[in-house]
Amino acid sequence: GWVAQDGRYTQFLKATDYILSHLSSPISLEEIAHQAGMSIPTLLRTFKHYTAESPMQYVKKLRLSYAYVELNQTTCSVQEAAHAVGYESVSQFSREYKRYFGHSPRQRQ
């Protein structure tokens, strides 16, 4: 029923809130599940259901999207943007950014 679905959505929102408020720190699957009050398998199913992605894909997409906004609306450096969204390695950040947006983070849009 509705109640079960509703409860699951509330847990999903708890998970996404946790992710959003921790983008600049390391985020683990275990911690997201714990914060949302779900087991890891339930968390994975819930994310697939609501986002068609895994929680970690969702985290990566949010991080890169936030960095994109930072880079294109502020004067921060690529390194600052990478660190602000939780990347320790600027080269890894640059690779993933380029894969995601089709251009390097140095090429501002």
Side-chain angles (χ1 to χ4, degrees), residues 9-23 27 32-33 35-36 38 43 46-47 50-51 55 58-59 62 66:
Y9 188 65
T10 304
Q11 287 178 306
F12 171 71
L13 291 179
K14 275 190 191 153
T16 55
D17 279 352
Y18 172 77
I19 291 167
L20 277 170
S21 56
H22 291 79
L23 277 186
I27 296 176
I32 300 170
Q35 294 292 331
M38 296 188 216
L43 179 75
T46 303
F47 264 79
Y50 290 112
T51 70
Y58 182 84
V59 168
L62 276 184
Y66 270 71

Side-chain angles (χ1 to χ4, degrees), residues 6 26 44 50 62 74 76 81:
D6 222 5
L44 293 171
Y50 290 112
L62 276 184
T74 72
C76 77

Side-chain angles (χ1 to χ4, degrees), residues 22-73:
H22 291 79
L23 277 186
S24 63
S25 356
I27 296 176
S28 70
L29 215 47
E30 290 77 12
E31 196 51 39
I32 300 170
H34 173 71
Q35 294 292 331
M38 296 188 216
S39 68
I40 290 178
T42 303
L43 179 75
L44 293 171
R45 275 199 308 277
T46 303
F47 264 79
K48 271 278 183 274
H49 178 78
Y50 290 112
T51 70
E53 294 172 317
S54 76
M56 297 323 280
Q57 284 172 313
Y58 182 84
V59 168
K60 183 185 287 189
K61 184 166 89 174
L62 276 184
R63 284 185 161 147
L64 292 172
S65 302
Y66 270 71
Y68 181 89
V69 171
E70 280 297 294
L71 286 167
N72 290 291
Q73 294 183 358

